[in-house]
């Protein structure tokens, strides 16, 4: 199980999925939780932010069923938490627990919870950034730039994009086809991702249009804006919390951030 958690901590959801699919592990329940996290990460790679959010929520619920005493983040009546506006369809969110033991089952539990917490924190941070628009960008262009940053962090600078093996199932194969559309720079793939992100904040918003793509400078112009946005961020992982300092970051996010800082 250590190899699965380590792969997910580094962002290698493909490797983790393959191990979980091919290996009979000692703790089948935890294996289901980690497979759920791996699939949520694959959804985020293709820009399905809302599906990634609800899937992480299912992983959190599974952990709470096994360990009812785990701390959760308090959600107010509007669904908002940590000064973040309410997500459509608020889900259960784990808090980072105190690390009571190192090694063995206690360590696996802590790292599993920390993994879910990190992914939920980063999606919350992404949601928060929608309202932090630079004055020079229109709201739609800003959201498209955020979606492009996600592409840099989850696809372009992920070694797995270029070295992957055979997908484990039909859904994974479809995800890889959609990742190929992003890596090929297809406009429709980026606009779909940005539409999903915008509708999280503005549920009644329409689809991102060709006008937004052109206004952002098409692929090259949006890439430049995304690099500038990424370079302004602190070192990953991102989540608006000092606790993230001690949390591992995905390799692809670190790669993208370092590239942006030196570009």
């Amino acid at each position: 199980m250590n190899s699965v958690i380590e792969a997910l901590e580094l962002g290698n959801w493909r490797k983790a999925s393959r191990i979980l699919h091919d290996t009979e592990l000692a703790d089948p329940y935890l294996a289901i939780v980690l497979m759920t996290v791996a699939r949520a990460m694959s959804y985020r790679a293709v820009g399905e932010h809302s599906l990634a959010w609800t899937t992480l929520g299912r992983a959190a619920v599974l952990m709470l069923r096994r360990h009812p005493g785990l701390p959760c983040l308090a959600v107010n009546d509007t669904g908002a938490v940590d000064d973040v506006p309410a997500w459509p369809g608020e889900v259960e969110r784990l808090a980072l627990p105190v690390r009571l033991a190192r090694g063995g089952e206690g360590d696996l539990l802590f790292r599993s919870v920390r993994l879910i917490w990190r992914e939920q924190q980063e999606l919350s941070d992404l949601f928060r950034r929608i309202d932090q628009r630079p004055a020079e960008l229109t709201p739609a262009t800003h959201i498209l730039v955020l979606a492009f940053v996600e592409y840099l962090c989850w696809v372009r600078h992920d070694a797995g994009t270029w070295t992957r093996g055979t997908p484990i199932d039909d859904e994974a194969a479809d995800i890889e086809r959609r990742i190929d559309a992003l890596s090929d720079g297809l406009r429709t793939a980026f606009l779909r991702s940005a539409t999903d992100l915008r509708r999280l904040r503005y549920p009644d918003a329409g689809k991102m249009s060709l006008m937004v793509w052109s206004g952002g400078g098409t692929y090259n112009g949006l890439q430049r804006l995304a690099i500038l946005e990424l370079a302004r961020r602190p070192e990953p992982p991102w989540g608006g919390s000092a606790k993230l300092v001690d949390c591992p970051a995905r390799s692809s996010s670190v790669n993208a951030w370092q590239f942006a800082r030196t570009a």
Side-chain angles (χ1 to χ4, degrees), residues 111-237:
R111 292 173 66 194
S112 300
V113 172
R114 184 178 63 180
L115 178 66
I116 298 170
W117 173 81
R118 180 191 72 183
E119 295 302 307
Q120 290 184 317
Q121 284 284 96
E122 283 215 345
L123 273 171
S124 292
D125 179 72
L126 175 61
F127 190 51
R128 184 188 298 111
R129 289 179 188 276
I130 295 175
D131 291 331
Q132 298 173 354
R133 175 174 60 90
E136 66 272 17
L137 299 181
T138 67
T141 299
H142 173 54
I143 291 174
L144 184 52
V145 168
L146 292 178
F148 209 103
V149 170
E150 289 285 289
Y151 155 73
L152 294 178
C153 292
W154 284 88
V155 177
R156 180 168 175 178
H157 291 275
D158 180 10
T161 299
W162 321 108
T163 60
R164 61 181 183 249
T166 303
I168 63 170
D169 55 28
D170 290 343
E171 185 177 19
D174 181 62
I175 286 168
E176 296 294 5
R177 285 191 290 270
R178 294 167 67 183
I179 287 176
D180 285 341
L182 288 165
S183 60
D184 289 343
L186 295 187
R187 178 184 67 229
T188 53
F190 286 94
L191 292 177
R192 177 194 50 75
S193 173
T195 296
D196 181 83
L197 183 56
R198 178 163 67 173
R199 286 177 174 170
L200 286 174
R201 185 71 181 90
Y202 310 106
D204 297 327
K207 293 182 178 180
M208 287 283 183
S209 67
L210 175 59
M211 185 179 299
V212 181
W213 178 261
S214 299
T218 66
Y219 182 93
N220 288 334
L222 288 161
Q223 178 176 236
R224 180 184 67 83
L225 292 172
I227 290 171
L228 292 173
E229 157 68 24
L230 193 50
R232 287 192 290 265
R233 296 188 185 183
E235 184 175 1

Side-chain angles (χ1 to χ4, degrees), residues 28-43:
Y29 193 92
L30 184 56
I32 292 171
V33 173
L34 295 176
M35 180 63 90
T36 304
V37 175
R39 192 49 57 95
M41 294 171 75
S42 73
Y43 294 148

Side-chain angles (χ1 to χ4, degrees), residues 14-25 35 166-168:
R14 293 179 178 89
K15 178 179 179 180
S17 299
R18 173 58 60 191
I19 295 172
L20 290 165
H21 181 267
D22 293 346
T23 309
E24 186 174 345
L25 299 173
M35 180 63 90
T166 303
I168 63 170

